[in-house]
Amino acid sequence: ASSVPGSSGRPESPPRPTACRRSATARVFEQVSAAAPAAAGHRRRLRMLQIWGRLSSINVRKVVWCAQELAIAFRRTDAGRQYGIVQTPAYRALNPNGLIPVLVDDESGGAAVAPLVLYETAAICLHLADMHPSAGLAPLPGTPARAQFYKWLMWLTNTLQAALISY
C-alpha cells in the first residue's frame, strides 16, 4: 500500500495500440500472477512498477507507452491537476519539483536497497529500455546508433517539444 493519497494499488491496463499487444500483455500478467508459489512461508513477488501521473499528460502517456511496448506490468496512479497529490509531502519526497510523471521501481536495486525513484520522462524511458535491452526499443549502449538515438531524443525533448508547447 502506498503512503501517497489517491493510490488505487490496482494494476493499470490503458488501451494498447493493437488488440494483439493488449491480449499478449494481459496473458503475461495473468500467467505471472497465477504462477506465484502457494507453499507455506514462500512468497514470490511480482515485479510491479508504479507510475504516478494522469493519462491526460503527454509525458505520462510517453512513459505508459514505453512500458506497454516493453510488456512491463505496472500500476498507475492519477496525480496532478484535478487529482492533486503532487503538492503533498509524500509526493514531494518522490519528486521535489512536484511534477509528473514519476516512476517507482521497488526491485531495481534488490531488497536491501531503497526503491529507485525517477522523474523526467526521457530518463524514465531510457531506464526502462536499458532494463529490457532484448526488446530492441533502443540501440545498444556504446554504439554509434545509440549516439544518434540520444541526439534525436534530446532534440525531441529540448527543441521540438519546447516549440510545440509555445505554439
Side-chain angles (χ1 to χ4, degrees), residues 52-53 78-79 83 97 100 112 159:
W52 291 91
D78 284 322
Y83 301 102
N97 300 305
I100 55 172
T159 305

Side-chain angles (χ1 to χ4, degrees), residues 4 10 13 21 25 30 32 40 45 49 55 60 66 69-70 82 84 88 95 98 110 149-150 164 167:
V4 179
R10 290 177 279 133
S13 182
R21 274 207 190 271
T25 302
E30 290 167 2
V32 173
R45 225 174 116 187
L49 299 176
L55 282 177
V60 173
C66 183
E69 286 296 316
L70 295 167
Q82 70 270 31
T88 65
N95 183 348
F149 171 80
Y150 285 142
L164 292 175
Y167 178 72

Side-chain angles (χ1 to χ4, degrees), residues 98-123:
L99 300 172
I100 55 172
V102 168
L103 173 84
V104 179
D105 183 350
D106 64 352
E107 293 190 14
S108 64
V113 179
L116 172 68
V117 177
L118 282 178
Y119 48 89
E120 293 301 322
T121 304

Side-chain angles (χ1 to χ4, degrees), residues 9-32:
R10 290 177 279 133
E12 174 94 3
S13 182
R16 301 280 301 169
T18 65
C20 178
R21 274 207 190 271
R22 182 174 45 252
S23 62
T25 302
R27 281 195 310 269
V28 167
F29 184 75
E30 290 167 2
Q31 290 169 354
V32 173

Side-chain angles (χ1 to χ4, degrees), residues 112-145:
V113 179
L116 172 68
V117 177
L118 282 178
Y119 48 89
E120 293 301 322
T121 304
I124 294 169
C125 291
L126 285 170
H127 169 69
L128 295 177
D130 287 349
M131 295 300 293
H132 303 275
S134 63
L137 197 58
L140 292 175
T143 63

